[in-house]
Amino acid sequence: MKCLPFLICIFISTIILGAPDQSFAACNVDVNTGQLSGDCGGVNINIEAPTFKTVQGHAVLNDIYKGALIKENSFVTINGIVNGDIFIEKNSKVTINGTVNGDIKNHGNLLIEGMIEGNIFNYKNVTVKGNIAGKLIGEGFEIYEGSVINGIVK
C-alpha cells in the first residue's frame, strides 16, 4: 500500500489492524503531601511516617525505618532503608543489603553488601562488600576488593 499523506496511512492501518485495546497513563504522587495528579483511578495511597524498629530474634526488614535497635542474640537482614542510626547489640548477626542513612554502632557481627551513608563505629566484627560514604572507626574491619570507602575503591 502506497501512503502519500502520512495521516491517511495511519488512518488506514488503524482500520485494518485495529486500535489497541489498552492505553496506559501515569499517576503521580507528591511524596511530601500525598497529593495525586494524573490518571489515578483505582490508586490508594497509605501515608505513614517511618517508625523506629526494635528487633529481637530473627527478622528480615524490607521497609523504610527511622532507625533500628538490634537486640542481643538476634539474626537480622536489612533489605530496606533505615533513615537513622542502627545500634547492634552483642552476639547479633546483621546483614545489610539495603541503604542506611545514618551511623551504625556495632557490637555484633555485621556484613555490609549495601550502602551506608554514615560512619561505622565497630566494637566487634564488620565485613564490608558494599559502599560506605562515612568513616570506619575502630578495629576488626574486613574489607573486600571492590568495596568503596569514602569514594575510594579498595
Side-chain angles (χ1 to χ4, degrees):
M1 168 185 345
K2 188 173 183 182
C3 298
L4 296 177
F6 185 67
L7 292 176
I8 294 173
C9 184
I10 291 174
F11 177 73
I12 293 172
S13 60
T14 302
I15 291 172
I16 294 171
L17 300 175
D21 292 0
Q22 298 178 346
S23 63
F24 299 98
C27 176
N28 299 307
V29 180
D30 183 319
V31 295
N32 295 314
T33 66
Q35 185 174 9
L36 304 175
S37 62
D39 183 8
C40 297
V43 175
N44 296 320
I45 303 297
N46 297 323
I47 299 176
E48 296 179 16
T51 59
F52 186 88
K53 184 73 171 177
T54 299
V55 179
Q56 175 72 55
H58 292 5
V60 177
L61 307 180
N62 294 314
D63 292 325
I64 300 173
Y65 301 97
K66 190 177 184 179
L69 168 62
I70 312 302
K71 301 292 278 181
E72 187 174 344
N73 299 314
S74 295
F75 184 83
V76 178
T77 300
I78 300 173
N79 296 322
I81 299 170
V82 177
N83 286 321
D85 295 343
I86 297 176
F87 185 84
I88 302 168
E89 292 186 351
K90 66 180 181 174
N91 298 322
S92 291
K93 288 185 163 189
V94 177
T95 300
I96 299 175
N97 299 318
T99 300
V100 176
N101 296 312
D103 293 339
I104 299 174
K105 292 176 181 68
N106 177 48
H107 292 270
N109 292 299
L110 174 62
L111 169 61
I112 299 168
E113 295 184 324
M115 188 164 82
I116 312 300
E117 290 294 329
N119 300 315
I120 299 177
F121 299 87
N122 186 36
Y123 306 99
K124 185 75 183 212
N125 298 315
V126 175
T127 301
V128 180
K129 295 182 178 181
N131 185 346
I132 300 172
K135 296 177 183 176
L136 303 179
I137 301 162
E139 296 180 7
F141 289 95
E142 181 181 4
I143 301 171
Y144 276 65
E145 184 178 341
S147 298
V148 179
I149 312 295
N150 265 332
I152 300 170
V153 179
K154 300 294 181 182

